[in-house]
Amino acid sequence: QVQLVESGGGSVQAGGSLRLSCAASGRTSSSSAMGWFRQAPGKESEFVAGVSRNGGGIDYADSVKGRFTISRGSAKNTVYLQMNSLKPEDTAVYYCAARYEYSSSWPEKGMGYWGKGTLVTVSS
């Protein structure tokens, strides 16, 4: 089993920045690929960004390209999401997720482990 714990959410004005963190514990060999998803109020969940264990594979949703940066910590058990130029439409609960193998496709049903989420609120 892998446990994922997110942190770093909060409230910020449009144009501001936040950095989310996700720490994996337990059988971390099963969390080679880690990513972020989000669910806005009244909307379906969507993929935001994902990264392979060594950082060589990185993917972003079109809506966040150029504004968000995903990275792995040196111990590889932590993933970060640096969010810049935030917009009100970025308001959502952000979930960290992990799966055993990396690919450039990130369907929700393919993720084996999920965190409980952290709320990001962007005001205009």
Side-chain angles (χ1 to χ4, degrees):
Q1 284 288 355
V2 176
Q3 294 78 44
L4 302 174
V5 178
E6 305 98 335
S7 61
S11 297
V12 65
Q13 289 191 328
S17 298
L18 282 174
R19 188 193 196 205
L20 305 184
S21 300
C22 173
S25 60
R27 193 174 181 180
T28 56
S29 59
S30 297
S31 59
S32 179
M34 297 181 72
W36 292 93
F37 292 74
R38 68 185 181 186
Q39 186 165 23
K43 295 187 177 181
E44 294 186 354
S45 179
E46 62 174 349
F47 166 74
V48 176
V51 62
S52 63
R53 185 171 183 82
N54 63 5
I58 292 180
D59 306 286
Y60 295 101
D62 288 342
S63 59
V64 307
K65 281 181 181 177
R67 300 188 299 122
F68 291 11
T69 302
I70 190 170
S71 61
R72 297 291 287 253
S74 57
K76 307 303 181 185
N77 293 336
T78 303
V79 64
Y80 304 100
L81 186 68
Q82 178 66 43
M83 305 185 294
N84 298 329
S85 302
L86 282 162
K87 304 175 181 180
E89 51 263 44
D90 294 317
T91 295
V93 177
Y94 284 70
Y95 297 91
C96 178
R99 69 184 186 212
Y100 182 64
E101 291 185 341
Y102 169 79
S103 78
S104 60
S105 176
W106 294 86
E108 285 187 48
K109 61 183 180 180
M111 307 307 293
Y113 306 97
W114 291 86
K116 293 184 178 181
T118 185
L119 177 62
V120 171
T121 303
V122 184
S123 58
S124 58

